[in-house]
Amino acid sequence: MSRAKRSDDWGFPRWRPYGSSRETQKVRLCDRHGCTNPGNCPAPKSPNSPERWYFCETHAAEYNRGWDYFAGLSAEDAAARAAEEAAGARSYARAQHYAWGGSGDGSRSADEMRALELLGLDPDADFDATKKAWRAYAKECHPDVNPGDAEAAKRFAAGQAAFEVLKQAEERKSWKPA
């Protein structure tokens, strides 16, 4: 018969990390019959019910594929619930990058998108196209070409600011630390 060994956590310093203990940890198993994986994904047992199933990721995905949010509701109630959900989600949709930035891959800021729009470029235009568009824009509304035209001077200043925004963005994109 083997003797019980001494614990290593006597005195100071402790010989194991703080917070670790020898007590068993409670693990909630998946509620699917026969599954032995941890069940850490809650799923409602029925619509509008506080009771939850706890599934593993695989069984949660399987459960969600067959879930019908509007099950048991009349057509009017389902339409009212859908309208309520849409009203709550609208503020989130307005905050997404594509709502204020327009089309594109999301890599440009709102200022860059406005600058590209002013120069008449697509959101995915490269910097060579930007320079070409800026030169054409400057030739069109430069104060030397349109003497005495205050509107042309304002448009030229706006174009100059737009090109500066795009130039700085290009510099930030291609900057590499020394």
Side-chain angles (χ1 to χ4, degrees):
M1 210 153 116
S2 66
R3 285 181 56 199
K5 294 186 179 178
R6 264 193 192 163
S7 170
D8 283 340
D9 61 352
W10 50 272
F12 187 83
R14 295 177 65 116
W15 299 109
R16 58 188 168 90
Y18 285 102
S20 67
S21 62
R22 293 184 180 172
E23 292 86 35
T24 59
Q25 298 294 319
K26 285 190 175 189
V27 176
R28 180 188 293 267
L29 293 180
C30 180
D31 284 335
R32 186 59 158 269
H33 180 70
C35 184
T36 57
N37 294 329
N40 50 9
C41 299
K45 288 188 176 184
S46 64
N48 303 319
S49 171
E51 297 178 15
R52 301 280 186 243
W53 297 106
Y54 286 90
F55 294 123
C56 63
E57 287 184 27
T58 306
H59 291 124
E62 181 182 315
Y63 180 80
N64 287 336
R65 269 193 297 273
W67 179 258
D68 182 12
Y69 183 69
F70 300 107
L73 296 177
S74 67
E76 297 86 26
D77 290 341
R81 170 108 29 108
E84 180 184 323
E85 291 291 325
R90 279 195 195 112
S91 58
Y92 175 73
R94 269 188 255 127
Q96 292 174 347
H97 75 276
Y98 56 79
W100 54 261
S103 61
D105 61 357
S107 62
R108 294 193 184 267
S109 70
D111 292 334
E112 292 172 52
M113 295 300 289
R114 284 192 292 269
L116 287 168
E117 185 180 336
L118 182 89
L119 294 176
L121 294 170
D122 291 331
D124 58 351
D126 62 346
F127 193 64
D128 291 334
T130 303
K131 285 194 282 190
K132 190 174 182 179
W134 161 240
R135 287 186 184 117
Y137 187 87
K139 285 180 185 177
E140 175 189 320
C141 60
H142 195 278
D144 291 344
V145 176
N146 303 311
D149 188 0
E151 187 63 33
K154 281 183 184 177
R155 285 190 6 236
F156 179 75
Q160 204 170 16
F163 180 70
E164 192 63 32
V165 164
L166 294 171
K167 188 169 94 173
Q168 288 177 357
E170 181 67 20
E171 288 173 0
R172 278 193 306 272
K173 189 167 41 171
S174 62
W175 181 80
K176 293 181 177 67

